Amino acid sequence: MDKLLALYHGVLTRMHDDNRAQSGGNLVSLIIGIAVAVIVGVGVAIPITNDVISSSNVTGLTATIIGFIPVMLGVLIFVATVGPIMART
C-alpha cells in the first residue's frame, strides 16, 4: 500500500511540475493571441467603423450616439486585452 501511495504521489508531483513548466508557453501563446486581436481590432475594425459612420446619412442625436461606437470598440479591445492577463495573476 505504501508503494502505491508513493507511486501516486510521484505521478501527481510530476504532473504538477509539467503544468508549471507549460505555463510559460501558455502565457506566450496568450500574448501572441492578444497581439493579433489588438492589431485586427485597431487596424481593421475601428477604421472600417469610422468609414461606415462617416458615409452614413444620420444627424442629430443619432449621429452623436453612433459616434461613440468606435470609442466603445476601443474600450472592448482594451477589456479583452487586459481580462485574460489579469485572470492569470
Side-chain angles (χ1 to χ4, degrees):
M1 186 68 163
D2 289 335
K3 288 182 181 180
L4 183 62
L5 287 175
L7 177 66
Y8 181 70
H9 177 69
V11 169
L12 286 179
T13 303
R14 227 175 300 140
M15 286 175 55
H16 179 69
D17 290 343
D18 289 345
N19 286 341
R20 289 185 67 198
Q22 288 179 354
S23 67
N26 290 338
L27 182 62
V28 170
S29 63
L30 174 70
I31 297 298
I32 291 171
I34 288 172
V36 168
V38 168
I39 290 169
V40 169
V42 173
V44 176
I46 292 178
I48 288 176
T49 305
N50 282 333
D51 288 343
V52 169
I53 290 172
S54 65
S55 67
S56 66
N57 206 6
V58 294
T59 58
L61 182 62
T62 305
T64 303
I65 293 171
I66 290 177
F68 283 112
I69 292 175
V71 176
M72 291 300 129
L73 278 174
V75 170
L76 175 71
I77 291 169
F78 176 74
V79 169
T81 303
V82 174
I85 294 172
M86 296 301 292
R88 293 191 57 88
T89 59

